[in-house]
Amino acid sequence: VKNKTAISPARGSLSQQRNSLSDADGNGGYAIGIDVGGSNLRVALADTQGNLLGKWSASTRETSSPEMVVEQIREGVNSLLESNSISPNSLIAVGAGAPGITQVDAGIVVATSYLKGWRNVPFRDHLESALHVPAVIENDTRLAAIGEQWKGVARGIRNFAFIAMGTGVAAGIVANGELVRGTNWTAGEIGYMYVPGASEEVAAPGAPGSLESTIGGEGVRQQWLRVCREAGMTDVPTVKATEIFEQANANNRLAQIVLDRTARALAYGVYNICLVLNCECVVLGGGVGMSPVLRDATQKILDQYVEPPACKLVISKLGEDAQLVGAIRLALEKAEAVPST
Amino acid sequence: VKNKTAISPARGSLSQQRNSLSDADGNGGYAIGIDVGGSNLRVALADTQGNLLGKWSASTRETSSPEMVVEQIREGVNSLLESNSISPNSLIAVGAGAPGITQVDAGIVVATSYLKGWRNVPFRDHLESALHVPAVIENDTRLAAIGEQWKGVARGIRNFAFIAMGTGVAAGIVANGELVRGTNWTAGEIGYMYVPGASEEVAAPGAPGSLESTIGGEGVRQQWLRVCREAGMTDVPTVKATEIFEQANANNRLAQIVLDRTARALAYGVYNICLVLNCECVVLGGGVGMSPVLRDATQKILDQYVEPPACKLVISKLGEDAQLVGAIRLALEKAEAVPST
């Protein structure tokens, strides 16, 4: 596998997964997967087997309107097609994920606090107009669940949850082999879950929920600030959640308090999900969730539960590619070009 | 509709829902629904439209072995067929529910703390041998969910939970229109859920879980005892959970404390389920769960949640018939005689 990275000085950066001319199976065409985030836009090109041929990314910090993002997507898609010497005619479908509530059937991004000005955006239509292929959209966390089920640690598993733990906390739920989207497309919003030790306050509109306030990236940093100040520290260093967990692993007593509290709240959240779904595993993803220290501390608590037993916690295999792989899977399903794997 | 009740002095009691000779649609045959409980066995006869033609019940307090219960079931079925002048040849299938873990595919009751000596019981085979028709078994709470979906308040609803709140607390989960049974058949064991205000202890094998210890019938009585003793009462009257709720409604201050705590813990449990599934409604069943006072107090708390909003709490329409109706539905599905309703 040959890797090369070319930075487009204008906006996007391109990275090739492999030499498409020699490796790609282009007989069935190609699909595009898109992940629209609050700070980054990512676009990936894949063949019908789901092999990633190239990725492209750009910042969305100054281009958050739907129209501007779609224009960026067009640029990324063209860049990926060109660098892989693939004709636009070989593109068969596109799948895209966005944070927040997504009406899959109508193709509308209803609301997201992560993207300014996105409210009832007919994102699927925008994509189809810009790229001239069928498009499908979905909530980004659900896409990650699909990605892990197709190519990651949840392969062939019919009951599981994918928990995305970064700034936000949410889950993609799979039961009986199918995504659970719910009545109003909000299934999996576990950041609002109430567990012992977390806040009992009612979440204000736009504000993070109880569980997210405790175990999300910002929640962990707030815990750290409190614990350090209570210990008499006046100048608390600014650190990331994962760094706090690493320090706990290196026997920093204050960091251990934060790790214990975070692991306990996460364990309650995971166990509550298990009790509802009796899932085979829970996959941890996202910048905070992929910490092996956090996983181990949480699993240790979960292992105490015997009746009914808790499930296994597994760290995401696909990492930040999970959403893109899920988007490509949905695109292939839309184009009725799903491989038998 | 004509109702008559005949008490069999030996063991069972019989009640006729209607005159089967004039009303029943017997062209497609008849199905039997069974609910095996820790204190009572109930058997119902229905036509293929799910109209209940008669019910029979007996105590299981002194007959808890599987063999004895199957013998009682045979007696109940014969009694129902005879009193409705139906030939055993017209019976097409039987469905049965039991508390605890039920392996539906193998037809085995794995374990239940409510029935002495029931451990890995091939209950489906027992029923087929005794009644000479195809049989299907399922966890009783899941049957109640099916019953409410077919003939009750969850008709046509594709995402909901049925919460059975009596001595025990458990849920039957329906997502994407399908029952969720989980990897080890334990989906819906929400009696073990951890919510703010409930115990954080690890449940010992055979002991009730955290949520059940707070909001189950015995949990509510224990709350009542504690609250009354804290208020200086030395002789606390023994009352049922629903009576405590009624007293709260009549402005008994101590009863109101118990109602508030119970409603709050139930609201957290219901909201946590909603966050996972985004269900359209949660149906409350069981002796404690069907209290309108409890429902109203809990709904009031749930209505505070706006992002995402909580679902509607609805009291079971079928009441204690829910399991039987669900058992009949599964029996008809097994016999491929499901009506189009």
Side-chain angles (χ1 to χ4, degrees), chain B residues 30-61:
Chain B
Y30 299 90
I32 288 285
I34 299 163
D35 183 46
V36 183
S39 42
N40 280 296
L41 164 68
R42 298 181 304 139
V43 182
L45 175 71
D47 61 26
T48 55
Q49 299 301 309
N51 298 308
L52 293 184
L53 306 175
K55 291 193 283 183
W56 181 95
S57 66
S59 168
T60 50
R61 291 192 189 279

PDB file of all heavy atoms in Angstrom, chain B residues 30-61:
ATOM      1  N   TYR B  30     -58.562 -22.609  16.976  1.00  0.00           N
ATOM      2  CA  TYR B  30     -58.453 -21.896  18.243  1.00  0.00           C
ATOM      3  C   TYR B  30     -57.031 -21.983  18.776  1.00  0.00           C
ATOM      4  O   TYR B  30     -56.316 -22.953  18.517  1.00  0.00           O
ATOM      5  CB  TYR B  30     -59.440 -22.489  19.257  1.00  0.00           C
ATOM      6  CG  TYR B  30     -60.871 -22.357  18.794  1.00  0.00           C
ATOM      7  CD1 TYR B  30     -61.472 -23.368  18.034  1.00  0.00           C
ATOM      8  CD2 TYR B  30     -61.602 -21.212  19.083  1.00  0.00           C
ATOM      9  CE1 TYR B  30     -62.776 -23.231  17.576  1.00  0.00           C
ATOM     10  CE2 TYR B  30     -62.908 -21.066  18.630  1.00  0.00           C
ATOM     11  CZ  TYR B  30     -63.488 -22.082  17.872  1.00  0.00           C
ATOM     12  OH  TYR B  30     -64.765 -21.937  17.417  1.00  0.00           O
ATOM     13  N   ALA B  31     -56.667 -20.966  19.535  1.00  0.00           N
ATOM     14  CA  ALA B  31     -55.341 -20.957  20.153  1.00  0.00           C
ATOM     15  C   ALA B  31     -55.471 -20.812  21.659  1.00  0.00           C
ATOM     16  O   ALA B  31     -56.457 -20.266  22.164  1.00  0.00           O
ATOM     17  CB  ALA B  31     -54.506 -19.817  19.595  1.00  0.00           C
ATOM     18  N   ILE B  32     -54.452 -21.292  22.359  1.00  0.00           N
ATOM     19  CA  ILE B  32     -54.407 -21.205  23.818  1.00  0.00           C
ATOM     20  C   ILE B  32     -53.258 -20.276  24.213  1.00  0.00           C
ATOM     21  O   ILE B  32     -52.159 -20.352  23.650  1.00  0.00           O
ATOM     22  CB  ILE B  32     -54.164 -22.611  24.430  1.00  0.00           C
ATOM     23  CG1 ILE B  32     -55.408 -23.500  24.287  1.00  0.00           C
ATOM     24  CG2 ILE B  32     -53.709 -22.534  25.889  1.00  0.00           C
ATOM     25  CD1 ILE B  32     -56.545 -23.163  25.229  1.00  0.00           C
ATOM     26  N   GLY B  33     -53.520 -19.391  25.162  1.00  0.00           N
ATOM     27  CA  GLY B  33     -52.473 -18.560  25.749  1.00  0.00           C
ATOM     28  C   GLY B  33     -52.323 -18.915  27.216  1.00  0.00           C
ATOM     29  O   GLY B  33     -53.324 -19.140  27.907  1.00  0.00           O
ATOM     30  N   ILE B  34     -51.083 -18.984  27.675  1.00  0.00           N
ATOM     31  CA  ILE B  34     -50.810 -19.420  29.045  1.00  0.00           C
ATOM     32  C   ILE B  34     -49.880 -18.425  29.721  1.00  0.00           C
ATOM     33  O   ILE B  34     -48.923 -17.950  29.118  1.00  0.00           O
ATOM     34  CB  ILE B  34     -50.136 -20.822  29.041  1.00  0.00           C
ATOM     35  CG1 ILE B  34     -51.073 -21.857  28.405  1.00  0.00           C
ATOM     36  CG2 ILE B  34     -49.707 -21.232  30.448  1.00  0.00           C
ATOM     37  CD1 ILE B  34     -50.360 -23.140  28.002  1.00  0.00           C
ATOM     38  N   ASP B  35     -50.160 -18.109  30.974  1.00  0.00           N
ATOM     39  CA  ASP B  35     -49.239 -17.281  31.761  1.00  0.00           C
ATOM     40  C   ASP B  35     -48.926 -18.023  33.058  1.00  0.00           C
ATOM     41  O   ASP B  35     -49.803 -18.208  33.899  1.00  0.00           O
ATOM     42  CB  ASP B  35     -49.872 -15.921  32.056  1.00  0.00           C
ATOM     43  CG  ASP B  35     -48.923 -15.009  32.815  1.00  0.00           C
ATOM     44  OD1 ASP B  35     -47.737 -14.921  32.425  1.00  0.00           O
ATOM     45  OD2 ASP B  35     -49.358 -14.385  33.803  1.00  0.00           O
ATOM     46  N   VAL B  36     -47.672 -18.454  33.170  1.00  0.00           N
ATOM     47  CA  VAL B  36     -47.243 -19.178  34.374  1.00  0.00           C
ATOM     48  C   VAL B  36     -46.602 -18.177  35.328  1.00  0.00           C
ATOM     49  O   VAL B  36     -45.584 -17.565  34.997  1.00  0.00           O
ATOM     50  CB  VAL B  36     -46.210 -20.277  34.041  1.00  0.00           C
ATOM     51  CG1 VAL B  36     -45.848 -21.051  35.291  1.00  0.00           C
ATOM     52  CG2 VAL B  36     -46.724 -21.204  32.960  1.00  0.00           C
ATOM     53  N   GLY B  37     -47.203 -17.994  36.477  1.00  0.00           N
ATOM     54  CA  GLY B  37     -46.644 -17.055  37.446  1.00  0.00           C
ATOM     55  C   GLY B  37     -46.244 -17.772  38.727  1.00  0.00           C
ATOM     56  O   GLY B  37     -46.535 -18.961  38.907  1.00  0.00           O
ATOM     57  N   GLY B  38     -45.588 -17.060  39.609  1.00  0.00           N
ATOM     58  CA  GLY B  38     -45.130 -17.639  40.862  1.00  0.00           C
ATOM     59  C   GLY B  38     -46.272 -18.045  41.770  1.00  0.00           C
ATOM     60  O   GLY B  38     -46.158 -18.994  42.544  1.00  0.00           O
ATOM     61  N   SER B  39     -47.424 -17.359  41.661  1.00  0.00           N
ATOM     62  CA  SER B  39     -48.544 -17.744  42.512  1.00  0.00           C
ATOM     63  C   SER B  39     -49.751 -18.229  41.724  1.00  0.00           C
ATOM     64  O   SER B  39     -50.557 -18.980  42.257  1.00  0.00           O
ATOM     65  CB  SER B  39     -48.951 -16.573  43.415  1.00  0.00           C
ATOM     66  OG  SER B  39     -48.941 -15.366  42.698  1.00  0.00           O
ATOM     67  N   ASN B  40     -49.838 -17.833  40.458  1.00  0.00           N
ATOM     68  CA  ASN B  40     -51.001 -18.239  39.675  1.00  0.00           C
ATOM     69  C   ASN B  40     -50.638 -18.717  38.276  1.00  0.00           C
ATOM     70  O   ASN B  40     -49.694 -18.227  37.670  1.00  0.00           O
ATOM     71  CB  ASN B  40     -51.981 -17.065  39.529  1.00  0.00           C
ATOM     72  CG  ASN B  40     -52.834 -16.903  40.768  1.00  0.00           C
ATOM     73  OD1 ASN B  40     -53.624 -17.781  41.107  1.00  0.00           O
ATOM     74  ND2 ASN B  40     -52.640 -15.792  41.453  1.00  0.00           N
ATOM     75  N   LEU B  41     -51.436 -19.676  37.824  1.00  0.00           N
ATOM     76  CA  LEU B  41     -51.363 -20.132  36.439  1.00  0.00           C
ATOM     77  C   LEU B  41     -52.652 -19.669  35.774  1.00  0.00           C
ATOM     78  O   LEU B  41     -53.744 -19.850  36.329  1.00  0.00           O
ATOM     79  CB  LEU B  41     -51.293 -21.661  36.398  1.00  0.00           C
ATOM     80  CG  LEU B  41     -51.582 -22.311  35.048  1.00  0.00           C
ATOM     81  CD1 LEU B  41     -50.464 -21.990  34.058  1.00  0.00           C
ATOM     82  CD2 LEU B  41     -51.728 -23.818  35.219  1.00  0.00           C
ATOM     83  N   ARG B  42     -52.517 -19.055  34.588  1.00  0.00           N
ATOM     84  CA  ARG B  42     -53.708 -18.602  33.878  1.00  0.00           C
ATOM     85  C   ARG B  42     -53.684 -19.145  32.459  1.00  0.00           C
ATOM     86  O   ARG B  42     -52.630 -19.168  31.806  1.00  0.00           O
ATOM     87  CB  ARG B  42     -53.779 -17.077  33.871  1.00  0.00           C
ATOM     88  CG  ARG B  42     -53.892 -16.510  35.303  1.00  0.00           C
ATOM     89  CD  ARG B  42     -53.985 -15.001  35.330  1.00  0.00           C
ATOM     90  NE  ARG B  42     -52.871 -14.397  34.643  1.00  0.00           N
ATOM     91  CZ  ARG B  42     -52.972 -13.349  33.837  1.00  0.00           C
ATOM     92  NH1 ARG B  42     -54.157 -12.811  33.601  1.00  0.00           N
ATOM     93  NH2 ARG B  42     -51.910 -12.840  33.254  1.00  0.00           N
ATOM     94  N   VAL B  43     -54.827 -19.596  32.008  1.00  0.00           N
ATOM     95  CA  VAL B  43     -54.949 -20.171  30.665  1.00  0.00           C
ATOM     96  C   VAL B  43     -56.129 -19.483  29.979  1.00  0.00           C
ATOM     97  O   VAL B  43     -57.162 -19.247  30.609  1.00  0.00           O
ATOM     98  CB  VAL B  43     -55.196 -21.704  30.736  1.00  0.00           C
ATOM     99  CG1 VAL B  43     -55.269 -22.304  29.335  1.00  0.00           C
ATOM    100  CG2 VAL B  43     -54.118 -22.393  31.562  1.00  0.00           C
ATOM    101  N   ALA B  44     -55.945 -19.120  28.713  1.00  0.00           N
ATOM    102  CA  ALA B  44     -57.031 -18.469  27.978  1.00  0.00           C
ATOM    103  C   ALA B  44     -57.219 -19.147  26.631  1.00  0.00           C
ATOM    104  O   ALA B  44     -56.272 -19.653  26.029  1.00  0.00           O
ATOM    105  CB  ALA B  44     -56.727 -16.987  27.770  1.00  0.00           C
ATOM    106  N   LEU B  45     -58.454 -19.155  26.165  1.00  0.00           N
ATOM    107  CA  LEU B  45     -58.808 -19.705  24.859  1.00  0.00           C
ATOM    108  C   LEU B  45     -59.252 -18.557  23.964  1.00  0.00           C
ATOM    109  O   LEU B  45     -59.986 -17.673  24.403  1.00  0.00           O
ATOM    110  CB  LEU B  45     -59.955 -20.705  25.029  1.00  0.00           C
ATOM    111  CG  LEU B  45     -60.554 -21.296  23.751  1.00  0.00           C
ATOM    112  CD1 LEU B  45     -59.577 -22.281  23.102  1.00  0.00           C
ATOM    113  CD2 LEU B  45     -61.885 -21.997  24.071  1.00  0.00           C
ATOM    114  N   ALA B  46     -58.771 -18.551  22.725  1.00  0.00           N
ATOM    115  CA  ALA B  46     -59.161 -17.471  21.805  1.00  0.00           C
ATOM    116  C   ALA B  46     -59.357 -18.023  20.402  1.00  0.00           C
ATOM    117  O   ALA B  46     -58.826 -19.083  20.045  1.00  0.00           O
ATOM    118  CB  ALA B  46     -58.091 -16.386  21.773  1.00  0.00           C
ATOM    119  N   ASP B  47     -60.126 -17.279  19.603  1.00  0.00           N
ATOM    120  CA  ASP B  47     -60.235 -17.632  18.191  1.00  0.00           C
ATOM    121  C   ASP B  47     -59.058 -17.004  17.442  1.00  0.00           C
ATOM    122  O   ASP B  47     -58.196 -16.357  18.047  1.00  0.00           O
ATOM    123  CB  ASP B  47     -61.595 -17.194  17.622  1.00  0.00           C
ATOM    124  CG  ASP B  47     -61.809 -15.687  17.700  1.00  0.00           C
ATOM    125  OD1 ASP B  47     -60.809 -14.941  17.721  1.00  0.00           O
ATOM    126  OD2 ASP B  47     -62.980 -15.259  17.746  1.00  0.00           O
ATOM    127  N   THR B  48     -59.018 -17.180  16.137  1.00  0.00           N
ATOM    128  CA  THR B  48     -57.847 -16.694  15.387  1.00  0.00           C
ATOM    129  C   THR B  48     -57.825 -15.176  15.232  1.00  0.00           C
ATOM    130  O   THR B  48     -56.841 -14.625  14.754  1.00  0.00           O
ATOM    131  CB  THR B  48     -57.782 -17.341  13.981  1.00  0.00           C
ATOM    132  OG1 THR B  48     -59.019 -17.101  13.322  1.00  0.00           O
ATOM    133  CG2 THR B  48     -57.517 -18.827  14.077  1.00  0.00           C
ATOM    134  N   GLN B  49     -58.907 -14.509  15.631  1.00  0.00           N
ATOM    135  CA  GLN B  49     -58.891 -13.046  15.649  1.00  0.00           C
ATOM    136  C   GLN B  49     -58.370 -12.514  16.978  1.00  0.00           C
ATOM    137  O   GLN B  49     -58.260 -11.298  17.170  1.00  0.00           O
ATOM    138  CB  GLN B  49     -60.300 -12.489  15.404  1.00  0.00           C
ATOM    139  CG  GLN B  49     -60.888 -12.872  14.065  1.00  0.00           C
ATOM    140  CD  GLN B  49     -60.044 -12.402  12.889  1.00  0.00           C
ATOM    141  OE1 GLN B  49     -59.685 -11.243  12.806  1.00  0.00           O
ATOM    142  NE2 GLN B  49     -59.691 -13.329  12.002  1.00  0.00           N
ATOM    143  N   GLY B  50     -58.102 -13.441  17.911  1.00  0.00           N
ATOM    144  CA  GLY B  50     -57.615 -13.020  19.212  1.00  0.00           C
ATOM    145  C   GLY B  50     -58.721 -12.649  20.183  1.00  0.00           C
ATOM    146  O   GLY B  50     -58.456 -12.087  21.242  1.00  0.00           O
ATOM    147  N   ASN B  51     -59.959 -12.962  19.834  1.00  0.00           N
ATOM    148  CA  ASN B  51     -61.055 -12.744  20.777  1.00  0.00           C
ATOM    149  C   ASN B  51     -60.970 -13.784  21.885  1.00  0.00           C
ATOM    150  O   ASN B  51     -60.955 -14.989  21.606  1.00  0.00           O
ATOM    151  CB  ASN B  51     -62.416 -12.872  20.082  1.00  0.00           C
ATOM    152  CG  ASN B  51     -62.597 -11.830  19.005  1.00  0.00           C
ATOM    153  OD1 ASN B  51     -62.422 -10.640  19.249  1.00  0.00           O
ATOM    154  ND2 ASN B  51     -62.911 -12.294  17.805  1.00  0.00           N
ATOM    155  N   LEU B  52     -60.898 -13.332  23.138  1.00  0.00           N
ATOM    156  CA  LEU B  52     -60.823 -14.269  24.264  1.00  0.00           C
ATOM    157  C   LEU B  52     -62.199 -14.888  24.482  1.00  0.00           C
ATOM    158  O   LEU B  52     -63.193 -14.185  24.657  1.00  0.00           O
ATOM    159  CB  LEU B  52     -60.377 -13.543  25.540  1.00  0.00           C
ATOM    160  CG  LEU B  52     -58.950 -12.996  25.566  1.00  0.00           C
ATOM    161  CD1 LEU B  52     -58.635 -12.402  26.937  1.00  0.00           C
ATOM    162  CD2 LEU B  52     -57.937 -14.089  25.230  1.00  0.00           C
ATOM    163  N   LEU B  53     -62.249 -16.224  24.473  1.00  0.00           N
ATOM    164  CA  LEU B  53     -63.529 -16.924  24.628  1.00  0.00           C
ATOM    165  C   LEU B  53     -63.723 -17.407  26.052  1.00  0.00           C
ATOM    166  O   LEU B  53     -64.851 -17.631  26.495  1.00  0.00           O
ATOM    167  CB  LEU B  53     -63.594 -18.109  23.667  1.00  0.00           C
ATOM    168  CG  LEU B  53     -63.321 -17.746  22.200  1.00  0.00           C
ATOM    169  CD1 LEU B  53     -63.295 -19.001  21.345  1.00  0.00           C
ATOM    170  CD2 LEU B  53     -64.372 -16.770  21.689  1.00  0.00           C
ATOM    171  N   GLY B  54     -62.636 -17.571  26.777  1.00  0.00           N
ATOM    172  CA  GLY B  54     -62.748 -18.031  28.152  1.00  0.00           C
ATOM    173  C   GLY B  54     -61.390 -18.021  28.816  1.00  0.00           C
ATOM    174  O   GLY B  54     -60.357 -18.086  28.155  1.00  0.00           O
ATOM    175  N   LYS B  55     -61.403 -17.879  30.135  1.00  0.00           N
ATOM    176  CA  LYS B  55     -60.160 -17.924  30.893  1.00  0.00           C
ATOM    177  C   LYS B  55     -60.298 -18.910  32.039  1.00  0.00           C
ATOM    178  O   LYS B  55     -61.395 -19.140  32.554  1.00  0.00           O
ATOM    179  CB  LYS B  55     -59.825 -16.529  31.449  1.00  0.00           C
ATOM    180  CG  LYS B  55     -59.444 -15.542  30.373  1.00  0.00           C
ATOM    181  CD  LYS B  55     -58.815 -14.287  30.950  1.00  0.00           C
ATOM    182  CE  LYS B  55     -59.861 -13.356  31.538  1.00  0.00           C
ATOM    183  NZ  LYS B  55     -59.259 -12.091  32.029  1.00  0.00           N
ATOM    184  N   TRP B  56     -59.189 -19.487  32.431  1.00  0.00           N
ATOM    185  CA  TRP B  56     -59.150 -20.477  33.504  1.00  0.00           C
ATOM    186  C   TRP B  56     -57.930 -20.160  34.355  1.00  0.00           C
ATOM    187  O   TRP B  56     -56.889 -19.773  33.809  1.00  0.00           O
ATOM    188  CB  TRP B  56     -59.035 -21.860  32.866  1.00  0.00           C
ATOM    189  CG  TRP B  56     -59.004 -23.044  33.804  1.00  0.00           C
ATOM    190  CD1 TRP B  56     -60.072 -23.826  34.189  1.00  0.00           C
ATOM    191  CD2 TRP B  56     -57.855 -23.623  34.431  1.00  0.00           C
ATOM    192  NE1 TRP B  56     -59.657 -24.837  35.015  1.00  0.00           N
ATOM    193  CE2 TRP B  56     -58.294 -24.729  35.187  1.00  0.00           C
ATOM    194  CE3 TRP B  56     -56.492 -23.299  34.443  1.00  0.00           C
ATOM    195  CZ2 TRP B  56     -57.431 -25.534  35.941  1.00  0.00           C
ATOM    196  CZ3 TRP B  56     -55.630 -24.093  35.195  1.00  0.00           C
ATOM    197  CH2 TRP B  56     -56.097 -25.196  35.928  1.00  0.00           C
ATOM    198  N   SER B  57     -58.048 -20.288  35.666  1.00  0.00           N
ATOM    199  CA  SER B  57     -56.869 -20.032  36.487  1.00  0.00           C
ATOM    200  C   SER B  57     -56.790 -20.979  37.664  1.00  0.00           C
ATOM    201  O   SER B  57     -57.790 -21.585  38.065  1.00  0.00           O
ATOM    202  CB  SER B  57     -56.867 -18.583  36.976  1.00  0.00           C
ATOM    203  OG  SER B  57     -57.946 -18.379  37.849  1.00  0.00           O
ATOM    204  N   ALA B  58     -55.589 -21.139  38.176  1.00  0.00           N
ATOM    205  CA  ALA B  58     -55.369 -22.029  39.323  1.00  0.00           C
ATOM    206  C   ALA B  58     -54.132 -21.534  40.065  1.00  0.00           C
ATOM    207  O   ALA B  58     -53.307 -20.806  39.522  1.00  0.00           O
ATOM    208  CB  ALA B  58     -55.165 -23.462  38.841  1.00  0.00           C
ATOM    209  N   SER B  59     -54.011 -21.952  41.301  1.00  0.00           N
ATOM    210  CA  SER B  59     -52.840 -21.563  42.091  1.00  0.00           C
ATOM    211  C   SER B  59     -51.645 -22.447  41.746  1.00  0.00           C
ATOM    212  O   SER B  59     -51.792 -23.641  41.490  1.00  0.00           O
ATOM    213  CB  SER B  59     -53.167 -21.695  43.582  1.00  0.00           C
ATOM    214  OG  SER B  59     -51.978 -21.593  44.333  1.00  0.00           O
ATOM    215  N   THR B  60     -50.459 -21.855  41.713  1.00  0.00           N
ATOM    216  CA  THR B  60     -49.241 -22.653  41.496  1.00  0.00           C
ATOM    217  C   THR B  60     -48.401 -22.714  42.774  1.00  0.00           C
ATOM    218  O   THR B  60     -47.267 -23.163  42.750  1.00  0.00           O
ATOM    219  CB  THR B  60     -48.364 -22.044  40.376  1.00  0.00           C
ATOM    220  OG1 THR B  60     -48.191 -20.649  40.634  1.00  0.00           O
ATOM    221  CG2 THR B  60     -48.977 -22.244  39.016  1.00  0.00           C
ATOM    222  N   ARG B  61     -48.965 -22.259  43.878  1.00  0.00           N
ATOM    223  CA  ARG B  61     -48.177 -22.193  45.106  1.00  0.00           C
ATOM    224  C   ARG B  61     -47.716 -23.572  45.579  1.00  0.00           C
ATOM    225  O   ARG B  61     -46.650 -23.715  46.151  1.00  0.00           O
ATOM    226  CB  ARG B  61     -48.970 -21.507  46.222  1.00  0.00           C
ATOM    227  CG  ARG B  61     -49.178 -20.025  45.957  1.00  0.00           C
ATOM    228  CD  ARG B  61     -49.697 -19.296  47.190  1.00  0.00           C
ATOM    229  NE  ARG B  61     -50.080 -17.936  46.859  1.00  0.00           N
ATOM    230  CZ  ARG B  61     -49.212 -16.918  46.747  1.00  0.00           C
ATOM    231  NH1 ARG B  61     -47.934 -17.124  46.930  1.00  0.00           N
ATOM    232  NH2 ARG B  61     -49.635 -15.715  46.436  1.00  0.00           N
TER     233      ARG B  61
END
